[in-house]
Amino acid sequence: MHVLILGGTTEARRLAELLTGEAGLRVTSSLAGRVAAPRLPPGEVRVGGFGGAEGLAAWVREHRVDALIDATHPFAGTISFNAASAAALAHVPLLALRRPGWVAGEGDDWHPVDSLEQAARALPALGERVFLTTGRMGLAAFTGDPELDGLWFLVRSVDAPEPPFPARMEVILDRGPFSLEGERELLRRHRVDVVVTKDSGGVATAPKLVAAREAGVPVVVVRRPAVPASAAVVATPREAVTWVRLQR
C-alpha cells in the first residue's frame, strides 16, 4: 500500500515516522519547498508543487498511491482543496490531519478575524508595536495603508521575508518550539502592545498567547479556513495511523 502525505508540519513528520514502521507500507512525504532547510521526515520525500489538482491526481495515478493524507498547515488552504479535488479525480480516499485550534481562556483579550487584511485593519485601534507571527507570506496585507505606516512591526519567520512588507519592521529568524520565558522576554524587550497570529493550534507556538495574556496584550487571531467537506478529519498522527490501517 502506497500512502502519500502532503506534509511540512510536525504532525506530518510524526505520522511518517509511525507509518514507516508498518509492514507492507510505502510512505512518500511531499513538501511544498517554501522553507529553505526543512526538517525531512523518514521514508521517501519529494519537494515542490504538483501543478494543481489535476497534476496531483496524475502523480497519484502514476505512482499508484492508495491513500492520500493532507497533513499540511491549517492555513495551506489551496493545497487542501487541490487534494480534495485530486482524491476525487483519482478515486482514492482522503484524510485531513488537523491539530485542534486554540481556545481563548480567562484573561485572554482576543480579537478574531477572518483574514490577514482584516487583521491589518484592526491594528491601529489596538496598539502601535506589533508582534507579527503569521510567517513571511502575506506581509503585503500590512502595507499600503497610511494608518499602518505609523506602526512598528516585529516579524518572526523561519526564512527572511521578501517585499512588499511593512515600512517599519524588524525581523527575527527563528523556528519553534518557543518557550514561555522566551516569549515573555521578547514582548518585554520590544515593548510589544499587540500580537497578530494565525490559529495554527499546537503547543510549539502557543507560549506567545500565554505571555500576551500575562502582559495584558491584545491578540488578533486569524481564524483557520474550513477543511474540504469530502475529507475525513482526525486530530492526531496516531488517529491517522488507525485510518490508514482501515484502508488496507
Side-chain angles (χ1 to χ4, degrees):
M1 180 181 182
H2 188 189
V3 179
L4 174 61
I5 302 172
L6 305 178
T9 60
T10 301
E11 291 78 13
R13 288 192 299 275
R14 179 56 180 153
L15 177 58
E17 291 171 358
L18 293 171
L19 291 180
T20 51
E22 294 269 329
L25 279 185
R26 175 189 173 193
V27 180
T28 301
S29 296
S30 177
L31 307 180
R34 291 180 177 174
V35 177
R39 295 172 179 170
L40 297 180
E44 300 176 38
V45 178
R46 70 172 301 279
V47 178
F50 291 95
E54 292 186 359
L56 176 54
W59 198 96
V60 165
R61 294 192 198 98
E62 179 184 353
H63 295 269
R64 299 183 181 276
V65 171
D66 300 293
L68 179 60
I69 300 178
D70 172 18
T72 57
H73 191 276
F75 282 84
T78 299
I79 185 59
S80 294
F81 281 91
N82 283 347
S85 297
L89 289 170
H91 304 290
V92 297
L94 171 67
L95 177 73
L97 172 55
R98 291 290 185 273
R99 70 187 77 144
W102 292 316
V103 178
E106 185 178 354
D108 284 317
D109 182 12
W110 287 13
H111 299 258
V113 296
D114 290 320
S115 67
L116 291 176
E117 288 74 18
Q118 287 186 13
R121 289 195 291 271
L123 287 178
L126 295 174
E128 297 180 349
R129 297 183 65 82
V130 185
F131 182 25
L132 191 57
T133 69
T134 55
R136 66 189 180 94
M137 310 295 290
L139 294 184
F142 300 90
T143 67
D145 185 334
E147 286 193 76
L148 296 176
D149 290 342
L151 307 184
W152 178 86
F153 290 84
L154 178 66
V155 175
R156 182 166 68 193
S157 63
V158 176
D159 295 317
E162 298 178 357
F165 40 61
R168 301 174 62 211
M169 179 184 75
E170 180 176 333
V171 177
I172 297 176
L173 299 182
D174 203 356
R175 188 200 304 261
F178 302 105
S179 70
L180 177 56
E181 185 56 40
E183 298 295 65
R184 287 169 175 158
E185 172 59 19
L186 185 148
L187 295 187
R188 185 198 63 77
R189 183 172 70 253
H190 294 280
R191 294 179 290 117
V192 169
D193 57 14
V194 59
V195 175
V196 180
T197 188
K198 294 178 178 178
D199 180 17
S200 56
V203 299
T205 59
K208 66 190 170 192
L209 301 175
V210 179
R213 180 196 310 140
E214 292 176 347
V217 171
V219 182
V220 180
V221 181
V222 183
R223 298 183 182 95
R224 58 174 63 179
V227 174
S230 59
V233 183
V234 297
T236 68
R238 290 202 175 274
E239 289 177 296
V241 170
T242 298
W243 179 86
V244 170
R245 290 170 179 167
L246 291 173
Q247 311 309 311
R248 303 182 77 168

